Amino acid sequence: MKHLFRITLLVLVLLAGFSCKKTQEAVAVPPHVETGDLLFVGIPMNYGDEGMAQAIADATSNGDTTNYIHAAILEVDENDAIWVIDATLAHGVDRHPLDTLFADFTLHRGGTATFEVMRLKDNRNAAVYVEQAKVFLGEPYDSYFRTFNGRHYCTELIEDAYVDADGHRWFEAAPMNFKNQEGEFPSYWVRLFDSLGEPIPQGELGTNPQDMHASPALVHVMYLNE
């Protein structure tokens, strides 16, 4: 099976017309959700345009109808309220109510976002992984997609948090792809990394929501709706 690694920035959310309103109250935990579960956000594959959304679709299309563009960690507190720990351009590495994520990923150009809860098959240390994720709170979002730079993007945060005491990582990095089906870099990526003063990190190790969602270490739990 050919692994085509998907590259996701939350800039997609902003450019594709999502709202970024932040709410303050925690959402009551839905049945069956547990601390340490992962929440994957997907949008229709045809939702993109000429900008970043299309650039991502060009690099990730594999015939699926859903393009997973974000992944977050869920935490259930002592009051049975559900919180999100994730890395986004809007908030950096942050812990906030689930309503904030729903607001950030509200679609305004038609279609409905998918919110799918997944869980490790071996979930014994889930609470430990959540606490390990909190170590990175306050860091900026990693628009550079490079490791060990004091920044994190969404799946990089999960990759670095979901590590056992013996150093075993549940989600391994692999070479990233930014090219389209014709083997060319979409103009969006060229402009973005030119503005950062960095080369496109084609082939460098990284992670992404689409492939993390397909990890054999995870099982489906449920879909969430507002």
Side-chain angles (χ1 to χ4, degrees):
M1 176 179 177
K2 181 178 179 181
H3 294 282
L4 181 60
F5 282 82
R6 289 88 177 174
I7 318 302
T8 303
L9 290 169
L10 196 65
V11 181
L12 168 62
V13 176
L14 305 178
L15 297 182
F18 294 88
S19 68
C20 290
K21 180 178 68 175
K22 188 170 184 177
T23 57
Q24 297 301 321
E25 296 182 358
V27 175
V29 60
H32 311 303
V33 172
E34 298 179 4
T35 288
D37 287 350
L38 300 181
L39 181 61
F40 290 86
V41 181
I43 62 173
M45 283 298 296
N46 61 357
Y47 189 80
D49 55 19
E50 295 294 324
M52 184 175 193
Q54 190 60 55
I56 292 174
D58 287 345
T60 67
S61 179
N62 61 1
D64 292 341
T65 58
T66 301
N67 183 16
Y68 288 95
I69 62 168
H70 185 63
I73 299 166
L74 299 180
E75 179 184 15
V76 180
D77 69 15
E78 64 278 5
N79 298 314
D80 286 335
I82 189 167
W83 297 81
V84 171
I85 301 171
D86 63 358
T88 66
L89 187 66
H91 311 298
V93 181
D94 190 39
R95 180 181 182 269
H96 43 253
L98 180 61
D99 269 352
T100 299
L101 183 141
F102 284 150
D104 286 348
F105 289 91
T106 298
L107 303 185
H108 296 296
R109 298 214 324 269
T112 303
T114 298
F115 300 97
E116 183 177 1
V117 179
M118 305 283 284
R119 180 175 299 155
L120 287 176
K121 292 178 180 177
D122 181 354
N123 206 36
R124 291 172 295 178
N125 295 321
V128 174
Y129 304 144
V130 170
E131 293 305 311
Q132 290 175 171
K134 291 180 180 179
V135 172
F136 304 109
L137 291 175
E139 287 190 352
Y141 184 76
D142 187 5
S143 299
Y144 297 83
F145 289 97
R146 288 186 166 87
T147 57
F148 308 114
N149 61 356
R151 300 168 174 264
H152 278 85
Y153 56 87
C154 65
T155 52
E156 183 184 23
L157 173 65
I158 296 169
E159 177 198 359
D160 285 345
Y162 282 60
V163 182
D164 287 343
D166 61 2
H168 167 72
R169 289 177 176 263
W170 283 97
F171 305 104
E172 293 291 342
M176 296 185 292
N177 175 64
F178 289 82
K179 294 182 178 181
N180 58 25
Q181 298 296 318
E182 289 71 42
E184 300 174 344
F185 291 118
S187 60
Y188 182 89
W189 296 125
V190 175
R191 293 195 305 271
L192 172 65
F193 286 98
D194 279 350
S195 71
L196 296 174
E198 296 280 345
I200 298 173
Q202 176 73 12
E204 295 189 20
L205 295 182
T207 56
N208 63 85
Q210 194 85 2
D211 289 292
M212 187 173 285
H213 174 269
S215 170
L218 296 174
V219 294
H220 169 81
V221 176
M222 65 184 298
Y223 291 98
L224 296 182
N225 295 312
E226 288 194 69

